[in-house]
Amino acid sequence: MDFYKSTVIYGLLVLSALFLSCSNKENKTDTIETRVNQLLDRMTLDEKIGQMTQIDPGFAGGEEQMKKSVRDGRYGSMLNLFGVEKVNELQKISVEESRLGIPLLIGRDVIHGYQTIFPIPLGMAASWNPEIVKKAFRISAIECSSQGIKWTFAPMVDITWDPRWGRIAEGCGEDPFLASSLSRAMVEGIQGESLTDPSAVAACAKHFVGYGFSEGGRDYSTTYISEPVLRNVVLKPFLAARDAGALTFMSGFNDLNGVPASGNEFTLKQILRKEWDFKGMVVSDWASVSEMISHGYCSNEKEAALKALKAGVDMEMSSLTYAGNIKALLQEGRIEQWVIDDAVRNILRVKYKLGLFENPYVSPEAQKQLLNPEFLDHAQKVARQSAVLLKNDQKTLPLSQKIRSVAVFGPLADSPRDQLGTWVFDGKAENSVTPLAAIRELLGPDKVNFIKGLQYSRDKNRGEFVKALALAKQSDAILYFGGEEWILSGEGQSRGEINLPGAQEELIAELARSGKPLVVIIMAGRPLAVGKVAGMADALLYGWHGGTMAGPALADLIFGKESPSGKLPVTFVKGSGQIPFYYYHNQTGRPASEGSWTPMDSIPVVNPQSSLGYKSFHLDYGFTPLYPFGYGLSYTTFKYSGLKLSSMSMSTTGSIVVSANITNTGEMDGDEIVQFYIRDRVGSITRPVKELKGFQRVSIPQGMQKEIQFTLNAKDLSFFNGKTQVVEPGEFDVWIGPNSAEGLHGEFNMH
Ligand code: NOJ
């Protein structure tokens, strides 16, 4: 072919490629599909199995063996590979030395920040602010992609009703509506505007599905979830992640109703692939395929591989049952070739979508994208909006910056690693600004008296108590920073009792004896049973594990730079015995109400068989939680008035608008999180007492009023009865209020 002809042909090819890429999204996808299929056609079975295998370098048989395996195309993905140089080195081997040059997909747990650490996800959920959460995840993606990480195992969107479960820290709490809004925001933040942007990272919605229902809050324990709860609650945030375009899902460790999640055809195949038409990739959790043997669901690795493959797990994390058994399974005719090909297609598609074939390497230049001042400012903002004010008697808070002296105590006051929380591999304690440092900076060191009182959260040594009380007496106000060390929540870190560990309650009681205003700030990975503390403190602020900038954020709130505005994403219980307690439990036959329950201490000692109310309550706890879902105070006050419905009636395809006026009646500007709940009074199955259907975080200047509207579509009132989604006409209640236990009430019917 002469030069002229080949130039014309090349030109035509370029033009048609341009036409394809510009015409529409579908054509773009087609191009990827074509490339995936062309590559698949060239792959050997070993190379296909390689793509389906993900390994941690620590388990790859040593440095040289790892490089050889990459060169031989034995791994499709690596997790926990550190540093730009290392990533580029391995990627170079994969791209330039392996037969087909398929790039590796480098994954890591970047759960709530990479080096700029944001509050734990449960804390971020308390901001009820999808916008700032999205930006937090965008920043995490910018930071981690600059280090070569193109896949994060986030968002974790397991709904849980159990604060004993250590992994409650990683999720968005108990409510499917709030968790779905945040799930969407997190996926959008991680993946960014364009997947081929160098800062785009593939999201992974996990753990599919049901892991948050681990019995007794014991991690990895069995889960039983009825189909209505599964579909109306647990699956919702996953569906939101799919809708937001999450490229990958992770199958969980748990067995769900008797079938392990990583071999579960009902959830992975029927729901995820068929009903939801998910086209992305499914990765197992760490060794969750081989653990099906420990579950007693498979007798050996070959069977485990077979069950995971049949369920639709495309890539196996860490265990090597695929690598060791797929060939034999094919030869024995127990699995068909198309199952393998589909899995490999799902994996390659992610790599193409992320543009890894075009840009496999990380630019060392990009390393500058860590801990930028703008990122740190955002971390401070998120931590500020995440903190929840639970009590503030006599307007103890905010403290004046002109205060003469404050006494700072507690094991979390100056504990840089603990404030970062769980699931932090890359955030560094030395970058944390602690509350003590921030308060010293704000007030000047001379005004701040400090002793820890207890060295760490579980410390029971009362040696410093006398000194602490003396110091408290010399100061104008007391700030006690307590809670939990980071290691007490997270994976495998569940607790049976969820009170403040160690001698913290005793120390707080001691400090209360000083008679000085006592402010307790809790920094923890879960909603602790803080009833006793609330009884002793004048003010109680819940800061969660607030991340790198937790200190300045808390100082901003304590000294009134801004009012606290977070609200609880989870019900706070009085004690472990109340668990599970979530606000949207079904209507019962014998609901308790004020006056209908008998406190245990009021029961006469000698008692004939008689009624103690015969209602749904505990004799010791009663029937209300310590703090309800959605609860949170502010330094200002908000008055709710004028509830209006656009109509008293709507059709099963219609909608109504419900609105109310919110007035800032206090003495400072503030944000209020306005919540919208409904109750479906009668259903074909029993229905929740309340369900969140909308929320808005609004800034209302002092003295101003805003009208807040919520549109309710008939489909928002639908629910799953079994696997059928139904919209049932009938009577409904609505509330617009500041939390799940209060609000202006209205009603309407659907016909
Ligand atoms: C196990 C955890 O359950 C999962 O959430 C995490 O992503 C993987 N390990 C990888 O570290």
Side-chain angles (χ1 to χ4, degrees):
M1 193 185 300
D2 60 29
F3 172 77
Y4 175 70
K5 264 191 198 157
S6 62
T7 312
V8 169
I9 291 170
Y10 176 74
L12 284 173
L13 281 175
V14 170
L15 275 178
S16 55
L18 261 178
F19 172 74
L20 279 179
S21 66
C22 298
S23 54
N24 63 32
K25 216 176 161 188
E26 217 150 11
N27 284 336
K28 242 186 182 167
T29 316
D30 284 346
T31 312
I32 286 182
E33 271 328 287
T34 311
R35 293 175 76 186
V36 164
N37 284 321
Q38 283 171 352
L39 182 53
L40 191 77
D41 284 347
R42 296 170 57 209
M43 291 172 79
T44 63
L45 180 58
D46 281 328
E47 284 163 340
K48 290 178 183 174
I49 297 170
Q51 286 304 305
M52 297 168 73
T53 305
Q54 184 193 51
I55 200 83
D56 177 301
F59 297 80
E63 184 75 11
E64 285 318 306
Q65 179 56 45
M66 174 170 77
K67 288 182 182 164
K68 181 176 180 324
S69 301
V70 171
R71 198 171 291 120
D72 293 345
R74 292 286 179 266
Y75 304 136
S77 169
M78 302 197 73
L79 78 161
N80 300 334
L81 199 62
F82 285 109
V84 179
E85 290 74 23
K86 198 82 218 153
V87 169
N88 280 342
E89 185 192 353
L90 266 284
Q91 193 66 292
K92 195 161 187 291
I93 296 175
S94 203
V95 171
E96 295 177 25
E97 297 176 32
S98 76
R99 194 179 76 89
L100 293 173
I102 304 175
L104 291 164
L105 182 55
I106 307 295
R108 191 157 175 80
D109 290 285
V110 181
I111 305 299
H112 53 113
Y114 182 72
Q115 286 206 358
T116 302
I117 301 298
F118 295 91
I120 53 168
L122 185 65
M124 283 197 251
S127 75
W128 294 56
N129 191 338
E131 270 314 301
I132 62 165
V133 171
K134 179 174 166 180
K135 186 165 170 192
F137 277 78
R138 186 82 286 273
I139 290 170
S140 309
I142 293 171
E143 286 196 343
C144 79
S145 61
S146 80
Q147 303 304 295
I149 294 154
K150 292 295 285 177
W151 183 20
T152 173
F153 307 123
M156 189 279 217
V157 288
D158 293 318
I159 297 278
T160 185
W161 296 341
D162 200 328
R164 292 170 298 187
W165 191 48
R167 303 196 78 169
I168 192 172
E170 285 175 67
C172 300
E174 75 189 34
D175 182 69
F177 186 91
L178 177 61
S180 299
S181 311
L182 296 168
S183 166
R184 212 171 295 126
M186 289 170 178
V187 172
E188 286 171 2
I190 293 166
Q191 297 193 164
E193 300 264 294
S194 158
L195 285 174
T196 50
D197 187 280
S199 73
V201 169
C204 182
K206 70 184 189 187
H207 306 84
F208 203 72
V209 65
Y211 183 33
F213 278 59
S214 296
E215 268 185 358
R218 282 182 306 279
D219 208 359
Y220 318 118
S221 181
T222 200
T223 61
Y224 283 100
I225 307 177
S226 68
E227 194 156 352
V229 172
L230 187 67
R231 289 184 181 271
N232 292 321
V233 177
V234 179
L235 285 170
K236 288 264 170 82
F238 286 95
L239 183 57
R242 190 224 63 158
D243 289 347
L247 290 176
T248 74
F249 269 51
M250 183 188 290
S251 63
F253 284 133
N254 57 303
D255 75 311
L256 173 64
N257 301 334
V259 180
S262 292
N264 199 312
E265 292 195 36
F266 172 58
T267 53
L268 288 171
K269 227 177 188 167
Q270 169 62 29
I271 296 178
L272 183 61
R273 296 287 183 194
K274 291 206 180 124
E275 295 178 24
W276 295 2
D277 195 26
F278 177 66
K279 294 272 191 278
M281 182 233 284
V282 174
V283 64
S284 76
D285 200 345
W286 183 283
S288 65
V289 176
S290 64
E291 283 175 13
M292 289 198 284
I293 302 168
S294 316
H295 274 291
Y297 187 63
C298 308
S299 46
N300 53 45
E301 294 209 341
K302 192 193 268 185
E303 225 182 291
L306 179 64
K307 287 198 164 144
L309 284 167
K310 280 192 156 169
V313 174
D314 302 314
M315 183 183 278
E316 183 178 11
M317 182 189 287
S318 182
S319 53
L320 296 169
T321 73
Y322 281 10
N325 297 287
I326 286 183
K327 253 188 194 166
L329 286 167
L330 276 166
Q331 274 158 11
E332 291 161 19
R334 296 174 74 192
I335 198 86
E336 291 174 72
Q337 183 64 46
W338 66 262
V339 177
I340 309 302
D341 289 349
D342 272 3
V344 177
R345 273 194 199 95
N346 292 340
I347 295 162
L348 294 178
R349 203 179 289 124
V350 171
K351 295 185 177 186
Y352 277 113
K353 283 190 172 171
L354 283 174
L356 280 177
F357 285 85
E358 289 76 19
N359 295 304
Y361 304 116
V362 193
S363 143
E365 265 302 287
Q367 290 196 48
K368 290 185 195 128
Q369 300 286 338
L370 295 173
L371 296 160
N372 288 353
E374 186 210 335
F375 299 171
L376 294 170
D377 275 356
H378 193 63
Q380 188 168 338
K381 180 175 183 175
V382 179
R384 237 178 0 237
Q385 292 199 10
S386 297
V388 185
L389 183 64
L390 295 174
K391 178 178 179 183
N392 196 18
D393 277 3
Q394 269 85 50
K395 296 190 181 163
T396 306
L397 286 176
L399 299 181
S400 161
Q401 270 189 53
K402 295 194 189 117
I403 196 164
R404 277 175 309 167
S405 66
V406 290
V408 174
F409 303 103
L412 273 291
D414 195 29
S415 189
R417 174 61 188 91
D418 286 324
Q419 73 183 46
L420 298 180
T422 188
W423 276 117
V424 171
F425 293 117
D426 305 287
K428 297 190 172 69
E430 69 250 31
N431 295 321
S432 289
V433 187
T434 66
L436 179 68
I439 294 166
R440 279 184 171 149
E441 167 85 28
L442 191 74
L443 302 184
D446 298 347
K447 288 183 169 184
V448 184
N449 301 317
F450 170 65
I451 55 166
K452 270 192 174 175
L454 291 165
Q455 303 312 305
Y456 57 102
S457 75
R458 288 161 295 154
D459 191 0
K460 295 190 180 110
N461 184 345
R462 306 163 68 100
E464 284 191 352
F465 281 22
V466 173
K467 220 163 126 195
L469 179 58
L471 201 64
K473 284 182 177 161
Q474 289 162 29
S475 312
D476 286 352
I478 302 165
L479 297 173
Y480 177 87
F481 292 87
E484 286 178 315
E485 297 146 78
W486 76 267
I487 192 74
L488 299 186
S489 59
E491 185 181 344
Q493 283 136 213
S494 297
R495 295 181 60 200
E497 297 295 338
I498 53 163
N499 48 352
L500 273 185
Q504 294 188 71
E505 284 177 358
E506 287 92 314
L507 176 55
I508 293 168
E510 198 66 14
L511 297 174
R513 288 178 47 211
S514 69
K516 294 295 169 73
L518 172 58
V519 179
V520 174
I521 301 99
I522 301 291
M523 299 164 82
R526 59 164 60 75
L528 293 169
V530 287
K532 244 191 191 160
V533 176
M536 298 186 278
D538 298 295
L540 178 60
L541 182 64
Y542 215 87
W544 318 98
H545 285 142
T548 307
M549 299 302 281
L554 290 168
D556 287 346
L557 299 175
I558 292 166
F559 293 95
K561 187 170 164 197
E562 199 174 280
S563 170
S565 57
K567 301 236 182 179
L568 299 178
V570 69
T571 301
F572 270 47
V573 293
K574 290 174 181 163
S576 283
Q578 259 189 332
I579 300 168
F581 204 151
Y582 51 99
Y583 81 92
Y584 55 90
H585 62 81
N586 282 347
Q587 300 178 63
T588 67
R590 296 192 173 188
S593 56
E594 218 37 79
S596 76
W597 76 286
T598 314
M600 194 146 91
D601 292 340
S602 67
I603 305 170
V605 176
V606 181
N607 206 22
Q609 171 71 37
S610 69
S611 162
L612 294 177
Y614 293 136
K615 300 286 187 208
S616 181
F617 60 82
H618 286 119
L619 290 171
D620 39 10
Y621 294 125
F623 64 98
T624 53
L626 182 63
Y627 298 109
F629 173 84
Y631 181 79
L633 302 170
S634 165
Y635 295 155
T636 188
T637 44
F638 297 99
K639 187 170 151 260
Y640 285 64
S641 63
L643 184 95
K644 276 198 302 242
L645 284 82
S646 59
S647 166
M648 296 300 288
S649 167
M650 76 193 261
S651 75
T652 51
T653 52
S655 64
I656 56 166
V657 177
V658 187
S659 61
N661 298 322
I662 321 297
T663 316
N664 182 338
T665 49
E667 283 148 28
M668 107 183 243
D669 298 346
D671 277 14
E672 170 67 335
I673 296 161
V674 183
Q675 300 161 43
F676 176 50
Y677 295 90
I678 65 125
R679 178 191 294 171
D680 179 359
R681 285 189 194 158
V682 179
S684 52
I685 51 171
T686 48
R687 306 286 296 125
V689 291
K690 268 188 183 177
E691 290 175 275
L692 184 73
K693 292 292 173 186
F695 62 87
Q696 287 179 45
R697 175 185 262 272
V698 278
S699 299
I700 310 183
Q702 183 199 355
M704 301 299 283
Q705 175 174 300
K706 281 196 178 163
E707 190 194 49
I708 305 299
Q709 295 190 342
F710 295 97
T711 302
L712 189 66
N713 295 305
K715 85 165 178 355
D716 301 329
L717 300 170
S718 69
F719 62 95
F720 283 93
N721 179 349
K723 73 171 193 295
T724 323
Q725 194 165 10
V726 293
V727 180
E728 294 182 343
E731 306 288 319
F732 292 83
D733 296 291
V734 289
W735 292 266
I736 290 182
N739 60 62
S740 63
E742 296 171 72
L744 304 172
H745 175 248
E747 55 192 23
F748 70 94
N749 71 67
M750 183 163 66
H751 53 84

